[in-house]
Amino acid sequence: MTTITLLQMNDLHGYLTPHPELIWTATGPEFPLLGGLARMKTLFDRVRSERSGAVMALDNGDTFHGTHLAVKTKGEALIPAINMLGFAAMTAHWEFAWVPDHVEKLASKLGHPLLAANCYRKDTGERPFPATLTKAVGGLNVGIIGIAATIIDKSMPPHFSEGVRFTNGIDEVRDEAKALRSQGADLIVVLSHLGLPQDMELARQVLGIDVILSGHTHNRLTEPVCVNETLIIQSGCHGAFVGRLDLEVADGRIVSHSHALIPVDDSLADDPVMASLVAEAVSQEDDLSSVVGQTSIALHRNTCLTAPMDDVLLAAVAAAGGTAIAFSNGWRYGAPVPPGAVTYNDLWNIVPVDPPVSTVTLTGQEICDMVEENIERTFSCDPFGQMGGYLKRFRGLTLFLKLENPKGQRIVQAFAGSQALDPTTAYQVSFITAQGVPMKYGNGRQNLEVHAVAALADWFMNADQNIDLAGTGKAVIV
């Protein structure tokens, strides 16, 4: 019998240093400082010293995007620190924000391969990234299959997938697992950025997967999910937690396992060499420490239907656009802002891509159609129909929803302000990014000169510290 350990980091989103992270308790949220790659390096080294030669660390992607520093340097500033963690492989999603050619450039600088079995060039059908890797771990041959986010060419901005296409990965995992077994792999590990619901469906459809390390949906699993004898783990986001999975293997199958979701907290001392690399990366950052305002409430994105962080974002977007109604995407990433001072760094964490504020005219029917489409992409009964983040964020609307209804029939009543939303009335709305209002909806679309971060700064500078969010959108499940 052989024992090996898998370590998982998923959805770092560029967070190199400790930051507030929301932890739910029986009395409400708390915001301890979690994360930090210097702490994580100490944890990795500790586990590696316990099980010399029998530890493999893997990164599920969404690593090089999500903070001002990551966006400013297109992920480049993070590479030395990420390399020091000693990953065996990674896969990807938001890394494609700077077009596929840049992902290849980033990957060439890593000390480990970026695997994406489900990514193909449109012109040749070839894969730009390797599909698999076989790694010797503790005397076992472990076959790793990388599956990038399938939504990159479906619901992300078009430039993410210039010249490439993505499948859902089911056929690729089935074929690659069979090939890896024939080549002598003792275990099959899928390194996935599909999301937990999709990975559970993948395990239902493809037999013979031993482990799926899951990313994308930011779940903090305290116990593995088991589907068809496949163990699935996911470990939060922002580097706040590391997943540890210990496997006892005999005759090519897992006979027992233990799992821990480990907080990356102040019980872990900073590794000095990693701390130096992080400091070097952070030295490339602008000074974003200036206070722009105060918040009396915690700003976070840890709730699906609406979230106070996006309520504030859309209050600023609506003010900048001069409209009562506003939309943005339901992003998951972004460290919370506890009550107190709000800095420019916080604003960049809220919306690191800093898009322009835009306006467009939508009919009431278009608003309903757009939100219905997004509800389906959030709550689809088919896991692979779930192609968004959280529910689209909105301001100036109250929507009464029956989520159990069929596709396209979930909005049972809709109001704009205090009036019923009229299907034929034209409403001027503000928004940010085509994920907020897709290009196929509306007319008279225009980008304003003001961008999202400046709009937020102006809003906070003119807001009372007791945050007044009158006009906030409401999604009510009935």
Side-chain angles (χ1 to χ4, degrees):
M1 188 173 301
T2 303
T3 301
I4 67 169
T5 297
L6 304 182
L7 296 175
Q8 178 192 37
M9 180 186 81
N10 61 274
D11 299 275
L12 179 70
H13 283 295
Y15 284 84
L16 300 181
T17 59
H19 55 274
E21 197 70 26
L22 185 150
I23 303 296
W24 294 111
T25 74
T27 57
E30 296 180 354
F31 299 92
L33 291 179
L34 296 179
L37 295 195
R39 293 173 173 177
M40 191 179 294
K41 179 63 164 59
T42 296
L43 174 59
F44 279 22
D45 286 352
R46 182 180 299 170
V47 177
R48 285 169 172 148
S49 68
E50 292 173 11
R51 299 184 180 274
S52 180
V55 177
M56 181 169 63
L58 294 161
D59 173 10
N60 284 82
D62 270 3
T63 302
F64 294 101
H65 185 286
T67 60
H68 181 267
L69 177 63
V71 173
K72 174 186 174 182
T73 66
K74 296 185 177 180
E76 300 272 358
L78 284 66
I79 290 173
I82 293 298
N83 278 341
M84 193 180 178
L85 287 171
F87 291 110
M90 71 171 292
T91 191
H93 173 204
W94 273 93
E95 286 75 13
F96 284 84
W98 305 294
V99 307
D101 285 350
H102 186 73
V103 185
E104 293 186 61
K105 179 182 175 183
L106 280 177
S108 71
K109 297 181 179 181
L110 295 174
H112 51 275
L114 190 158
L115 306 180
N118 61 329
C119 178
Y120 300 90
R121 298 193 193 280
K122 291 178 181 176
D123 55 355
T124 67
E126 296 176 346
R127 288 170 168 146
F129 306 98
T132 67
L133 173 71
T134 300
K135 196 85 173 173
V137 184
L140 297 178
N141 290 320
V142 180
I144 307 159
I145 306 168
I147 300 295
T150 184
I151 66 171
I152 293 170
D153 64 344
K154 300 172 183 65
S155 61
M156 305 302 291
H159 68 271
F160 279 51
S161 56
E162 282 182 7
V164 297
R165 64 179 181 86
F166 295 82
T167 72
N168 63 18
I170 292 174
D171 290 339
E172 287 82 0
V173 170
R174 184 179 290 115
D175 293 344
E176 297 296 339
K178 183 178 179 181
L180 288 167
R181 289 287 191 190
S182 71
Q183 295 161 15
D186 298 300
L187 286 180
I188 300 297
V189 174
V190 175
L191 181 62
S192 167
H193 203 94
L194 294 175
L196 181 61
Q198 295 83 352
D199 287 323
M200 292 176 65
E201 182 63 20
L202 174 65
R204 289 187 189 100
Q205 294 197 32
V206 181
L207 301 179
I209 305 168
D210 294 295
V211 174
I212 299 177
L213 300 185
S214 178
H216 180 58
T217 43
H218 297 195
N219 293 85
R220 299 171 187 162
L221 295 184
T222 56
E223 294 288 340
V225 175
C226 188
V227 178
N228 282 338
E229 298 187 352
T230 299
L231 298 173
I232 307 171
I233 70 169
Q234 196 178 121
S235 306
C237 63
H238 304 150
F241 295 88
V242 164
R244 174 175 177 167
L245 186 61
D246 296 318
L247 305 171
E248 288 193 351
V249 181
D251 300 322
R253 58 185 298 270
I254 298 169
V255 294
S256 68
H257 70 272
S258 63
H259 170 261
L261 181 68
I262 305 170
V264 182
D265 59 20
D266 59 7
S267 69
L268 297 163
D270 284 354
D271 175 85
V273 179
M274 178 64 89
S276 178
L277 287 178
V278 169
E280 184 177 340
V282 171
S283 72
Q284 302 174 51
E285 179 64 287
D286 301 331
D287 183 2
L288 302 175
S289 62
S290 297
V291 173
V292 296
Q294 301 286 323
T295 178
S296 57
I297 61 173
L299 307 180
H300 66 80
R301 282 192 174 121
N302 291 63
T303 44
C304 184
L305 299 181
T306 61
M309 179 177 284
D310 293 307
D311 291 341
V312 165
L313 172 60
L314 288 181
V317 167
T323 66
I325 299 173
F327 294 97
S328 69
N329 188 50
W331 292 298
R332 292 188 182 96
Y333 64 79
V337 183
V342 179
T343 68
Y344 271 104
N345 187 62
D346 295 322
L347 304 188
W348 281 99
N349 286 344
I350 292 172
V351 57
V353 294
D354 191 29
V357 175
S358 305
T359 58
V360 68
T361 301
L362 299 172
T363 66
Q365 187 62 55
E366 285 181 306
I367 289 173
C368 285
D369 290 346
M370 180 178 71
V371 176
E372 284 280 11
E373 178 184 62
N374 179 255
I375 294 171
E376 174 64 14
R377 288 190 165 193
T378 306
F379 299 108
S380 175
C381 295
D382 174 7
F384 285 98
Q386 297 177 22
M387 293 188 287
Y390 292 135
L391 188 67
K392 183 185 297 294
R393 306 312 197 185
F394 54 87
R395 177 178 174 82
L397 302 171
T398 300
L399 304 179
F400 292 89
L401 311 175
K402 289 185 75 68
L403 294 183
E404 71 272 23
N405 279 5
K407 175 182 177 180
Q409 302 295 322
R410 294 182 174 115
I411 299 174
V412 294
Q413 280 187 291
F415 294 87
S418 61
Q419 302 297 313
L421 189 71
D422 178 36
T424 62
T425 296
Y427 297 89
Q428 185 80 353
V429 310
S430 303
F431 68 97
I432 52 172
T433 82
Q435 288 181 294
V437 177
M439 294 295 292
K440 64 183 179 181
Y441 293 109
N443 61 76
R445 180 180 296 247
Q446 62 176 335
N447 294 336
L448 307 183
E449 291 186 4
V450 64
H451 283 237
V453 170
L456 276 166
D458 184 68
W459 189 87
F460 271 106
M461 289 175 183
N462 290 285
D464 187 276
Q465 67 176 6
N466 293 313
I467 298 295
D468 180 7
L469 290 174
T472 291
K474 297 181 177 67
V476 183
I477 307 299
V478 295

